[in-house]
Amino acid sequence: MVASSFNMEPVSTFGWILCHTNNGEDLDSPGGVVILAQADATLLCGDAVFITDGNQVNKSTTAADYDSQLGIVLAGKTNWAGGENFAPNNSDLIGKQAALATERVLICIQGLCYGIAAAAITSPAELAPDGSTAGRLVTDATPTADEIIARAFGDAAGAGNAVLVMVGFS
């Protein structure tokens, strides 16, 4: 087990299941397989991230970077309370800072979580990383397999809004 430096329950370097949420066990209750990773740059709750050459996670506006796609940032040093007050359970945290470079972040690699919309999104659209604002998700009308990072499980009214997404099942 690896204990983090920010008052977090110890997690292993293997994925673990996040199953306790503020929404109870509703059909749209966030949760899934989560891993601990190191941020390569400042990351926000809800950012779509990929694995860098240095085995860290980052976001980008370059589509090719997401060939090594990973998932969605749930929380980090700046907002992990060791309880339920973090992004999978609180869409109000979406778009707020999760971690700075070299700090640890929690990444949802499979399951339901909140991402950041780059524009209006309607379920069940396939979502790809946005080419204009790093970390945001946009509907991809002509997706290729390596572009899709998630599928919309809810709707978003516009840019910067939280959107419930299904990661790892596209």
Side-chain angles (χ1 to χ4, degrees):
M1 300 296 266
V2 175
S4 75
S5 60
F6 53 90
N7 296 332
M8 186 176 99
E9 292 297 318
V11 297
S12 74
T13 54
F14 296 101
W16 52 283
I17 304 297
L18 171 71
C19 57
H20 301 289
T21 70
N22 289 343
N23 296 337
E25 294 303 322
D26 297 336
L27 292 177
D28 63 352
S29 180
V33 179
V34 176
I35 63 167
L36 188 63
Q38 185 171 335
D40 192 36
T42 299
L43 296 174
L44 308 177
C45 292
D47 274 342
V49 293
F50 62 93
I51 303 168
T52 67
D53 291 340
N55 292 323
Q56 295 180 322
V57 294
N58 206 346
K59 58 186 177 180
S60 176
T61 57
T62 304
D65 288 341
Y66 285 90
D67 288 349
S68 59
Q69 62 182 283
L70 185 59
I72 306 290
V73 174
L74 299 180
K77 182 176 182 179
T78 58
N79 55 19
W80 174 266
E84 295 190 358
N85 187 30
F86 65 110
N89 308 316
N90 185 351
S91 62
D92 292 339
L93 292 177
I94 298 305
K96 295 191 175 147
Q97 182 178 303
L100 299 172
T102 73
E103 293 179 345
R104 292 180 177 193
V105 288
L106 296 173
I107 309 292
C108 178
I109 60 169
Q110 188 174 49
L112 288 175
C113 61
Y114 290 101
I116 307 171
I121 292 174
T122 304
S123 176
E126 292 180 315
L127 304 175
D130 183 36
S132 300
T133 305
R136 293 198 179 182
L137 298 167
V138 65
T139 300
D140 194 335
T142 57
T144 59
D146 61 345
E147 290 177 328
I148 303 305
I149 198 163
R151 181 176 295 277
F153 204 73
D155 300 335
N161 289 1
V163 59
L164 189 62
V165 299
M166 186 182 310
V167 179
F169 296 100
S170 297

